[in-house]
Amino acid sequence: QLALNLGLAYTMYVIGKVSFTAAQAGMIEAGALTKAETGSIGGVFWLVYAIGQLIGTFIVNRISPYVLIEIAVVGSATSNLLMACTDNYMVMLVVWCLGGVSQFGLWSAILKLNAEKLDDKHRRVLTTYLAYAYGLATVLSNMLSSWVLSVLSWRYIFIFSGIICAAALPGVLVSHR
């Protein structure tokens, strides 16, 4: 159960993490952001995210890994939903980067739970799945965004991604209890 919940939560979370990239073309086409602005938002997000990952490796031994996953999932869902509500460059930069900050401990937390809570069989299954999950989530996000951009606006990429992220939370909470 824990391996399944972690794998699904990670996949759903990644859909939210890559949604900005998936929405960029629609945002530029609609005139919400320029190419330079989307590039700077994406670049600053990945910088903040990478620094957060380094910090997360130290914090995971002091804070429950379940709490770190919950922070990441809620932060990603919230930042996605807020991105749908604005087309102001500075607001988007701050919101998307705060989403990156909230994700600081997710990867470390999943690795810790995989190492400490799963038996060998489930550990191998989750490890194998995680190797493919990012690619799977990116493909799903791109398919979703292609469809959304053909019938709706770029804002709905963030709305749907936020909902998908939020849907990961019950599995994490059940695993935690």
Side-chain angles (χ1 to χ4, degrees), residues 4 10 14 29 42 57 59 61 66 68-69 80 90 110 119 124-125 129 139 141 149 158 164-165 170 177:
L4 176 64
Y10 182 70
V14 170
E29 185 179 317
T57 60
I59 293 178
N61 292 319
Y66 297 103
L68 294 175
I69 294 170
N80 270 280
M90 287 306 295
I110 288 176
D119 59 34
R124 282 192 303 273
V125 168
Y129 177 77
V139 168
S141 178
L149 290 174
F158 291 111
I164 290 167
C165 282
R177 305 306 174 240

Side-chain angles (χ1 to χ4, degrees), residues 16-99:
K17 184 168 80 171
V18 300
S19 61
F20 183 80
T21 303
Q24 282 181 346
M27 296 166 84
I28 292 167
E29 185 179 317
L33 294 174
T34 66
K35 290 178 184 178
E37 289 170 335
T38 60
S40 66
I41 290 171
V44 173
F45 168 84
W46 286 108
L47 176 65
V48 168
Y49 176 80
I51 292 168
Q53 291 299 303
L54 290 173
I55 294 167
T57 60
F58 298 105
I59 293 178
V60 74
N61 292 319
R62 293 175 175 81
I63 298 175
S64 165
Y66 297 103
V67 170
L68 294 175
I69 294 170
E70 291 163 8
I71 290 169
V73 169
V74 170
S76 186
T78 302
S79 64
N80 270 280
L81 295 172
L82 289 174
M83 289 292 281
C85 299
T86 187
D87 56 2
N88 179 286
Y89 165 69
M90 287 306 295
V91 172
M92 286 185 168
L93 179 67
V94 170
V95 165
W96 202 241
C97 287
L98 287 175

Side-chain angles (χ1 to χ4, degrees), residues 22 141-151 157:
S141 178
N142 288 331
M143 290 172 58
L144 173 67
S145 67
S146 294
W147 173 78
V148 168
L149 290 174
S150 71
V151 296
I157 293 171

